[in-house]
């Protein structure tokens, strides 16, 4: 059994499978099957025709949302009430 990469037309590895290379099997349409037994690669890696490159890791920093205090909310209500009173 050998390790194979299934690569789409955009040269992105969509899956890595184990196959003996001989059993009657056809890769999915629009996919290329490449023996990667001794090559480091994984899902979403990019293949340039010669080597594989790991995808860039995007670090997302969560934004901490601090809810308004009771006093801040009361101040907003008072400001809105004043605006409403000015309309009448």
């Amino acid at each position: 059994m050998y390790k194979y990469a299934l690569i789409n037309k955009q040269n992105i590895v969509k899956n890595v499978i184990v196959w003996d290379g001989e059993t009657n099997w056809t890769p999915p349409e629009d996919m290329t099957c490449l023996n990667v037994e001794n090559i480091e690669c994984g899902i979403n890696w990019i293949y340039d025709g010669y080597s594989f490159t790991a995808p860039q890791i995007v670090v997302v920093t969560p934004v901490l949302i601090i809810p308004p205090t009771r006093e801040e909310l009361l101040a907003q209500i008072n400001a809105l009430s004043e605006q409403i009173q000015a309309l009448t």
Side-chain angles (χ1 to χ4, degrees):
M1 299 301 250
Y2 301 98
K3 184 172 80 168
Y4 287 84
L6 296 177
I7 305 166
N8 69 10
K9 289 192 179 276
Q10 290 77 34
N11 294 327
I12 298 172
V13 176
K14 297 313 282 182
N15 203 353
V16 177
I17 63 168
V18 176
W19 177 43
D20 64 10
E22 296 177 12
T23 303
N24 190 18
W25 175 79
T26 304
E29 188 175 329
D30 296 333
M31 294 282 219
T32 300
C33 185
L34 182 66
N35 186 318
V36 291
E37 183 60 28
N38 296 310
I39 301 171
E40 183 179 4
C41 72
I43 294 174
N44 289 329
W45 284 46
I46 299 168
Y47 180 62
D48 65 7
Y50 301 99
S51 62
F52 291 88
T53 305
Q56 292 183 353
I57 297 174
V58 177
V59 177
V60 177
T61 304
V63 176
L64 179 61
I65 299 174
I66 301 173
T69 64
R70 181 178 189 273
E71 292 76 21
E72 291 169 331
L73 289 172
L74 287 172
Q76 290 176 12
I77 289 172
N78 289 334
L80 289 171
S81 292
E82 290 175 8
Q83 291 177 11
I84 291 170
Q85 290 299 321
L87 294 173
T88 57

